[in-house]
Amino acid sequence: QVQLEESGGGSVEAGGSLKLSCRRAGDDYRSNYMGWFRQAPGKGREGVAAIYRGSGSQFIADSVKGRFTLSQDNAKNTVSLQMNNLKPEDTAVYYCAAGIFSRDLRPPLSESRFDYWGQGTQVTVSS
């Protein structure tokens, strides 16, 4: 099992920045692929970014590329999402997720790659 706890959400004006952190706990060490998803009101869940903790390989959605960056602190079992130049359309509940990385044809940010999910943290960007 893996437990995930997000922190760092909040409200900012357009152009501002926020940093989300996801701390993982548990003993399923195979689940070393971690990602961030978001869900805006009335919309489906969207993959934002993911990182394979073993190699550090990252996958970033086109919608946030150049504005959002991932980092990890293995000593603290934390993966963080730095969000810069935020836009009103980034408003959503952001979820941390973890799963077992596998080399297959599914898109890197497919929800099906992830087995564990956090409770989510709200990000609100005002214009």
Side-chain angles (χ1 to χ4, degrees), residues 105-126:
L105 297 179
R106 290 175 293 172
L109 297 177
S110 169
E111 284 189 62
S112 65
R113 290 185 173 273
F114 299 89
D115 303 303
Y116 302 101
W117 295 83
Q119 294 297 310
T121 185
Q122 177 70 45
V123 171
T124 303
V125 185
S126 59

Side-chain angles (χ1 to χ4, degrees), residues 37-57:
F37 288 74
R38 65 186 182 184
Q39 187 165 18
K43 295 187 176 181
R45 194 173 289 181
E46 174 193 17
V48 175
I51 184 168
Y52 175 48
R53 300 178 73 210
S55 66
S57 298

Side-chain angles (χ1 to χ4, degrees), residues 8 10-11 16 29 33 37 42-43 50 65 67 75 92 103 115 122:
S11 298
Y29 299 106
Y33 188 50
F37 288 74
K43 295 187 176 181
K65 196 167 291 182
R67 300 188 297 122
R103 299 185 185 280
D115 303 303
Q122 177 70 45

